[in-house]
Amino acid sequence: MKRVTQQAVLLHCHLQRIQPPVSYWQLPSTQKYNAQNAGSWRYISCGFSTARTLSQSEKTSPDSLSAPKIKSDFLEALRQTAAKYFGKSDIDASGFESVAESILKLGFSQVQMKQLLALNPSIAVQPPQKSLPTLYMLNLLGLNQTSIIKVLENCPELFGVKEHQLQSRIDNLQKHGLGEGSLQSVLLQSPQILNLSAKQVNNTVRFFKDKCIFTGQQVTTILRTSPNVLFEKSEELEYKFQYAYFRMGMKQSKITNSGLFRVSLEELKQRHIFLERLGLYQTPDKKGQTQIVNPKLKDILTTSENYFLTNVAKSSWEEFDIFKKLLNREEIEKEEVESSEWEDEEESEEE
């Protein structure tokens, strides 16, 4: 009990000193997240929550609550790095030691701190409450230090996003089913997702529900497995969906887990038509029946070209390459014919 009391006092002093931004949210104590408690992360006004940080020994152990000893030569090297970036012989870094201590307390090593400074040198000359909100939030999401650096390497613009904007965007993604566990995975795939406004995300979700008739759970699965859909135009997504639905005869339940939205429309058509002309794929009739057993959609779409040719098409690379060239020529000729017919119709209307 005495040890716990000492740790609490140390933590309180630490929070008062570094003054992190207010309104950071706290993860639910349950280990398993589900859609019912989406939005249950609570705002707290006394600074960023350490509930999750302290529960994970690989991040910050209780003994590390006391300020780490930072060597002066290490701080000087970081100051010089920042000064070089800003093109100055020296910089005003009076509060840099506080920033460095705050970063170390989040579990980052000195080597990792250098990586962070290389990604965003401005953190050397700003107070923690202005320079570190993104680090705090990614830490509270459950990402370890290596993963946080990976996210910021792939999307350094996140350093410039304001705390309340990150909060709002994360809450909105959570509302659509990207809760604890799945959101971390999505961020490692597409960290740019936190650059999207709630309106952009909501528009994509609405499109899938209204235009493609996916259920809410199916949309959540698509967001988890294919977060790239949030960056694509709805027209392109609709064309891809319609091709799979009408041309290939695939229903929503099959499309959801197929990886359809992770491939280009060109690749989708190439593989499908190639199998079709080999007699290995047949569009189901109105009752959903075929005279042959079609390959699974995910085996057609999300496998390597070598696997596709060897195990699905049972064909050679040379045959597939020739087919793709012929198909491309067919597409060009088709477009030319359609363009000519359109021009003829316009001329007829003018006459």
Side-chain angles (χ1 to χ4, degrees):
M1 180 62 71
K2 181 178 179 182
R3 181 182 176 83
V4 173
T5 303
Q6 291 174 341
Q7 291 173 5
V9 172
L10 287 171
L11 176 59
H12 175 74
C13 295
H14 168 65
L15 292 176
Q16 292 297 321
R17 179 160 52 84
I18 67 173
Q19 296 180 348
V22 298
S23 300
Y24 285 100
W25 26 267
Q26 183 175 4
L27 292 175
S29 59
T30 54
Q31 293 297 318
K32 185 177 181 181
Y33 177 88
N34 55 58
Q36 292 181 344
N37 61 10
S40 63
W41 295 352
R42 298 180 179 178
Y43 294 98
I44 54 176
S45 59
C46 59
F48 71 92
S49 168
T50 57
R52 189 169 183 83
T53 310
L54 295 180
S55 68
Q56 300 184 19
S57 59
E58 74 275 12
K59 290 184 179 181
T60 309
S61 64
D63 292 336
S64 68
L65 290 175
S66 56
K69 183 66 176 178
I70 305 177
K71 294 182 179 180
S72 58
D73 56 344
F74 174 73
L75 286 174
E76 183 59 29
L78 294 183
R79 289 193 188 97
Q80 291 177 3
T81 299
K84 183 178 179 181
Y85 174 83
F86 288 108
K88 299 179 180 179
S89 59
D90 195 10
I91 59 174
D92 181 12
S94 57
F96 187 47
E97 185 171 358
S98 175
V99 173
E101 288 180 0
S102 299
I103 294 175
L104 291 177
K105 284 183 179 294
L106 287 174
F108 293 95
S109 66
Q110 293 188 357
V111 172
Q112 290 172 326
M113 190 189 302
K114 290 181 179 179
Q115 292 177 282
L116 291 171
L117 184 61
L119 291 172
N120 184 29
S122 65
I123 64 177
V125 294
Q126 295 177 337
Q129 60 266 36
K130 186 174 182 180
S131 61
L132 304 183
T134 301
L135 293 184
Y136 289 139
M137 285 196 163
L138 293 178
N139 180 270
L140 290 173
L141 273 176
L143 294 173
N144 59 34
Q145 291 71 32
T146 301
S147 295
I148 290 174
I149 291 175
K150 181 179 178 181
V151 166
L152 293 172
E153 283 177 340
N154 292 328
C155 189
E157 311 89 72
L158 287 178
F159 274 113
V161 182
K162 295 181 180 180
E163 179 261 339
H164 72 274
Q165 291 176 318
L166 280 175
Q167 188 89 65
S168 174
R169 294 170 187 178
I170 290 172
D171 288 345
N172 188 60
L173 291 168
Q174 192 182 12
K175 181 184 71 175
H176 294 303
L178 297 180
E180 186 178 1
S182 59
L183 182 54
Q184 290 91 321
S185 177
V186 168
L187 284 176
L188 291 174
Q189 294 180 62
S190 301
Q192 296 82 3
I193 197 174
L194 289 182
N195 277 334
L196 297 175
S197 67
K199 182 179 179 180
Q200 289 172 293
V201 174
N202 294 341
N203 286 342
T204 300
V205 170
R206 191 178 302 111
F207 158 77
F208 278 123
K209 290 181 177 180
D210 296 345
K211 297 292 185 179
C212 305
I213 321 299
F214 285 110
T215 66
Q217 184 57 52
Q218 288 171 338
V219 173
T220 295
T221 300
I222 292 172
L223 294 180
R224 287 174 178 171
T225 57
S226 306
N228 57 286
V229 298
L230 294 170
F231 305 94
E232 296 185 26
K233 295 181 179 179
S234 58
E235 294 82 2
E236 296 174 358
L237 294 174
E238 186 172 9
Y239 196 173
K240 200 180 299 183
F241 168 78
Q242 288 184 349
Y243 186 90
Y245 187 84
F246 294 107
R247 182 70 175 78
M248 300 179 69
M250 306 303 297
K251 302 303 181 184
Q252 286 86 345
S253 58
K254 298 292 184 181
I255 293 175
T256 300
N257 295 295
S258 68
L260 170 72
F261 298 105
R262 294 203 299 272
V263 301
S264 67
L265 178 63
E266 181 184 26
E267 187 176 5
L268 167 64
K269 295 171 72 173
Q270 286 173 348
R271 293 196 177 191
H272 164 245
I273 298 175
F274 187 56
L275 291 176
E276 192 175 51
R277 294 185 182 180
L278 288 173
L280 298 176
Y281 190 94
Q282 187 178 82
T283 302
D285 58 23
K286 294 180 180 181
K287 296 181 179 180
Q289 298 179 342
T290 58
Q291 295 178 348
I292 63 173
V293 178
N294 285 333
K296 294 180 179 179
L297 190 55
K298 64 179 182 180
D299 288 337
I300 299 175
L301 300 177
T302 60
T303 55
S304 66
E305 187 168 288
N306 182 60
Y307 181 93
F308 169 74
L309 292 173
T310 303
N311 299 284
V312 184
K314 295 178 172 52
S315 186
S316 67
W317 180 88
E318 290 79 10
E319 288 177 301
F320 191 43
D321 187 55
I322 292 172
F323 165 78
K324 286 190 287 187
K325 292 176 181 178
L326 291 173
L327 182 64
N328 183 56
R329 186 182 303 172
E330 288 178 16
E331 293 283 344
I332 294 174
E333 292 175 352
K334 182 180 178 181
E335 289 178 1
E336 290 176 349
V337 171
E338 290 177 349
S339 177
S340 177
E341 291 177 349
W342 183 76
E343 289 176 357
D344 291 341
E345 288 180 3
E346 278 199 329
E347 291 177 359
S348 299
E349 290 178 358
E350 289 177 358
E351 292 177 357

